[in-house]
Amino acid sequence: MSENRPPRFSLARLTALAGLVLLTVAPAALPAPAAAATAPRCRLVSVPAPVAEQTATLRGTLCLPSGQAPDTVQLLLAGATFDQAYWLTPADARTPSYVRYMADAGYAVLALDRPGTGLSDRTPAAATDLGSEVGAIHEVVGRLRTGAVDGHAYRRVIGVGHSFGSSVLLTEAARHADLDALAVTGFVHSVGPKLEELNQAIVPAADDPLLGLTRPPSGYLTTKAGSRADLFLDRAGASPPMPSVIELTKTTMTTGEQATLAEAGDPAISGAVRVPVFLAVGRHDDLFCNGPYLQCTDAAAVKTWESWFFPAEARLETFVLDGAGHALNLHRNATAWFAAAREWLDGLPR
């Protein structure tokens, strides 16, 4: 019998996510692309997927633009200790979330919680690693193409990742070749001056004053209380409430993920990607930039470095968001990278 179980705080998490979804669909004077005539249609979805030889239920928020369902869906995966809230959270009262921006641009968007995070089942910690998550996402991609997720078969599936979510999608594309394109953020083949600080900030989730109340299983981890703003934000580029928001919306990671975090940095993985790749980082992402190898000063510098790791078929394009840290979406100028990603997406072959 499967040991998988949803987190005990499902009701509280659902309430919080419902609030974020309401922000996504509520009309507002936002700098979104060519403001849609009506708000996107959003709903929670559940997708069964194999994780470590068991079947787990992955949950996420699917938003569709108004009108006829599009033929393209973006599959969004957040990084370790983040979940779908990363894609649903607006940087401030005047900025749309990534989900709202792209739905208004005409794309279907599925912000999915990886195994063990958010609303998805809590799978065994040691077995919930890069490899098992790649297998689970491969299943999700297939179900999106056949219409098994929401009744609509999508012709194109584009992976959009953040940090460890980028690692999962890159590895999935390399192993299974079933994504049409990749937008990876918070990911480069380098290390920054704050990476060891992050490593030291990972603690058992059971000891966390917030997540401990949810009784996380053994092997579930999170970031030390009060550490996230300095690790993931450029404080000068984020709104005053964001350091609190990023603490309240944090989630868990697993020991399996911790042990395999670096595997996607293997050049053999990026070298096996044969679809277009858009890579975006924050100028002040000191977890992976601005260390001994790569200074993320501008897009040209990042492209010069990353071109060593991707083949010509990837047609690599890069973008640097000035005034942003590791969590690009949570900075006030996030729409600059949204717009760059949309321009790249709109230019992909159909």
Side-chain angles (χ1 to χ4, degrees), residues 273-298:
V273 173
R274 294 292 187 269
V275 295
V277 175
F278 179 86
L279 187 152
V281 292
R283 169 68 180 85
H284 300 127
D285 183 349
D286 289 340
L287 296 180
F288 299 105
C289 293
N290 310 319
Y293 307 113
L294 172 63
Q295 301 295 312
C296 294
T297 51
D298 55 39

Side-chain angles (χ1 to χ4, degrees), residues 22-32 35-36 39-40 90 92-96 100 104:
L22 283 174
L23 285 175
T24 299
V25 301
L30 299 171
D92 60 27
R94 296 189 55 80
T95 304
R100 175 63 189 264
D104 280 352

Side-chain angles (χ1 to χ4, degrees), residues 242-278:
M242 192 54 69
S244 296
V245 171
I246 204 173
E247 288 287 340
L248 291 171
T249 57
K250 74 178 179 181
T251 184
T252 53
M253 63 181 290
T254 67
T255 51
E257 291 172 335
Q258 185 182 43
T260 56
L261 281 173
E263 288 186 3
D266 183 347
I269 291 177
S270 53
V273 173
R274 294 292 187 269
V275 295
V277 175
F278 179 86

